[in-house]
Amino acid sequence: MKIATFNINGIKARYPALCDWLDESQPDVALLQEIKSVDENFPREMFEDRGYNVETHGQKGFNGVAILSKLPLEDVTRGLPGDDSDEQARWIEATVMGENHAVRLCGLYLPNGNPCPGPKYDYKLAWMDRMEARARVLLAEEIPVVMAGDYNIIPQDEDAARPEAWKEDALARPESRAAYRRILNLGFTEAFRARVAGPDHYSFWDYQAGAWQRNDGIRIDHLLLSAQAADLLDDCQIDKEIRAREKPSDHVPVWIELAA
């Protein structure tokens, strides 16, 4: 089972690039972030024509997450529990049915949090507290769980080409990293680091100042696996070359293969 996460930075601007990647990479499941579309305007037919079941949790002009799956999806839920007043579309869950295992998928778009300090950073940390609470519930079920998406977290300095430039940024502040580690330390495996060590591995390059050309990137798109999912992990890779194509997202896909 090939599961990918991809922040597409707007479905309207990115659907040709997204479709090209889907046709080439052939993921069984693609978890998308920043679709920037309400549900009724999402171009689901172009993905259904490719054999994907489509579930969205959209929002006009901002945020928005989606699941594309060639495998059956069950028990789809939308929104991160814990705050009924939160209207931002950043979390979607579903159970995907593989040949040998059912896997609970969580597609997430974690708040950026800048500028910080400030209300946006407070929202980020509060959102991560809610995510930790949800993660605890999922882990208690003792099933394969994959929490994948744009975390807007640079876990360690080696995950940035210029870590000094991010020290005061919400993506790398100590409070952000600590909140991320609290979730990880519940018993999750970070899929990419379970397979690949060392620096110079990034999933995001800004559009400004020639960041891509200088490889001035950061790694902020992650897949966290419960112990039951980690036992099934065969591979995890970053499709870096997608960033060099025409009208790319500023993110690239990250994918895992599970023996599910």
Side-chain angles (χ1 to χ4, degrees):
M1 184 189 296
K2 185 175 185 178
I3 302 170
T5 176
F6 192 2
N7 180 323
I8 58 172
N9 192 19
I11 188 64
K12 291 181 181 178
R14 227 63 64 193
Y15 74 83
L18 174 59
C19 289
D20 286 346
W21 171 76
L22 288 171
D23 292 344
E24 293 171 16
S25 185
Q26 290 293 319
D28 297 297
V29 183
L31 302 167
L32 307 180
Q33 302 91 46
E34 275 202 277
I35 61 174
K36 299 181 181 179
S37 168
V38 294
D39 295 335
E40 54 267 31
N41 290 344
F42 189 81
R44 55 188 306 126
E45 293 82 5
M46 72 173 62
F47 306 113
E48 291 172 341
D49 289 346
R50 288 172 162 80
Y52 286 99
N53 301 296
V54 179
E55 298 288 349
T56 61
H57 179 35
Q59 183 177 347
K60 185 176 181 180
F62 299 95
N63 306 324
V65 287
I67 303 176
L68 314 179
S69 177
K70 291 185 176 180
L71 301 169
L73 291 173
E74 298 181 359
D75 190 21
V76 180
T77 61
R78 295 165 174 83
L80 181 63
D83 183 357
D84 292 339
S85 68
D86 186 3
E87 298 181 349
Q88 297 193 31
R90 294 180 173 275
W91 183 274
I92 189 168
E93 283 187 35
T95 298
V96 62
M97 309 304 294
E99 291 184 8
N100 303 306
H101 298 275
V103 179
R104 188 64 178 170
L105 299 173
C106 307
L108 64 103
Y109 176 42
L110 204 148
N112 178 287
N114 284 305
C116 65
K120 290 187 176 181
Y121 193 54
D122 295 340
Y123 173 68
K124 179 188 186 111
L125 296 179
W127 201 95
M128 295 184 77
D129 285 343
R130 289 160 54 202
M131 181 179 170
E132 179 183 347
R134 181 59 185 154
R136 289 179 181 273
V137 172
L138 291 168
L139 287 179
E141 297 180 8
E142 298 185 348
I143 58 174
V145 175
V146 177
M147 298 196 307
D150 176 1
Y151 277 70
N152 271 315
I153 295 287
I154 304 169
Q156 301 180 89
D157 283 356
E158 69 176 357
D159 296 309
R162 293 183 302 118
E164 68 281 357
W166 297 90
K167 286 191 179 298
E168 297 304 317
D169 193 279
L171 277 64
R173 283 182 64 98
E175 302 92 334
S176 303
R177 287 178 167 176
Y180 176 78
R181 283 195 302 272
R182 283 196 298 272
I183 295 170
L184 194 62
N185 291 342
L186 295 175
F188 286 95
T189 295
E190 203 259 277
F192 186 77
R193 284 306 183 198
R195 303 290 299 182
V196 183
D200 299 321
H201 300 287
Y202 311 125
S203 63
F204 170 93
W205 297 260
D206 197 283
Y207 291 125
Q208 307 299 319
W212 166 248
Q213 290 77 8
R214 296 185 291 110
N215 196 30
D216 183 13
I218 54 177
R219 195 176 68 88
I220 56 175
D221 301 270
H222 311 303
L223 297 102
L224 268 55
L225 314 181
S226 69
Q228 294 80 8
D231 286 344
L232 304 174
L233 180 64
D234 285 335
D235 199 7
C236 181
Q237 300 289 337
I238 299 174
D239 283 348
K240 178 179 178 179
E241 71 280 359
I242 300 298
R243 183 64 174 79
R245 297 188 178 181
E246 186 176 354
K247 295 184 178 178
S249 172
D250 41 9
H251 295 251
V252 296
V254 186
W255 55 265
I256 56 173
E257 287 185 348
L258 299 182

